Amino acid sequence: MALLTSLFGCTLQSTKSLLNTVTTNLACVRYASKKISGSTRNKPIKLKPKHRGWKVQDGHMVRQSQILATQRKPRFHPGLYVGIGKNGTLYALEEGKVMVTCEKIIPNMKQRWARLNYAGRENSVIYKKYFNVIPEPHHDRFVLIDTV
């Protein structure tokens, strides 16, 4: 025990001599104990739905330029009196009744959109839905009065 006290006393004397000769400027710095971060949950992304697909069912009456279907890839193809927009939207060219048929297609692989959508299916049979508009027959109530 005496040995420990003498050893401790020697170390204190040596540190006193060092402290007297060297001046130190120490400052206390307090660091944050926790990191600041966002929540770890994956927050849902609020996207509006696009509502693509059929707009008019088979057998319904449509007006001219009414949208029949919207699509991103060519799921539906235009038939009689149906036009297709740049973004793949099918619309009626005439007023009439909608008729949807399933028909076999043979895509022209020289076209870019056909290569993008039907690559690897050159030798297979592909069936797609076709939208057709059957125009209403015009009434026959006119009577010929005179020829010119």
Side-chain angles (χ1 to χ4, degrees):
M1 192 67 163
L3 183 64
L4 285 175
T5 55
S6 64
L7 187 63
F8 185 68
C10 288
T11 56
L12 283 177
Q13 288 174 359
S14 65
T15 57
K16 284 183 184 177
S17 64
L18 286 174
L19 288 176
N20 289 338
T21 58
V22 178
T23 58
T24 57
N25 294 330
L26 297 175
C28 253
V29 178
R30 183 175 174 210
Y31 293 104
S33 59
K34 292 180 182 175
K35 291 182 179 178
I36 299 172
S37 64
S39 67
T40 57
R41 270 180 63 185
N42 291 331
K43 295 181 180 176
I45 300 171
K46 296 178 181 174
L47 294 174
K48 292 181 181 178
K50 303 296 185 237
H51 303 291
R52 291 189 178 101
W54 294 40
K55 303 299 178 198
V56 179
Q57 298 295 323
D58 192 18
H60 284 87
M61 295 296 294
V62 292
R63 295 183 313 271
Q64 185 179 359
S65 73
Q66 185 174 345
I67 294 176
L68 305 175
T70 55
Q71 58 190 348
R72 288 188 73 186
K73 292 186 177 180
R75 292 178 59 200
F76 315 116
H77 289 268
L80 296 171
Y81 298 107
V82 175
I84 186 165
K86 283 192 235 178
N87 58 355
T89 303
L90 298 179
Y91 57 92
L93 295 174
E94 291 287 327
E95 187 172 329
K97 193 174 188 179
V98 175
M99 188 172 84
V100 181
T101 60
C102 187
E103 299 176 21
K104 183 171 117 174
I105 67 164
I106 301 170
N108 184 4
M109 289 300 172
K110 293 179 182 176
Q111 294 179 344
R112 183 178 172 270
W113 69 269
R115 284 193 309 269
L116 285 174
N117 295 303
Y118 301 115
R121 299 173 69 182
E122 290 88 5
N123 298 327
S124 62
V125 178
I126 304 170
Y127 289 97
K128 290 289 180 178
K129 288 186 176 64
Y130 276 80
F131 276 80
N132 302 296
V133 174
I134 309 301
E136 285 290 311
H138 296 289
H139 55 81
D140 296 330
R141 289 181 270 170
F142 293 110
V143 179
L144 183 62
I145 298 173
D146 194 16
T147 59
V148 179

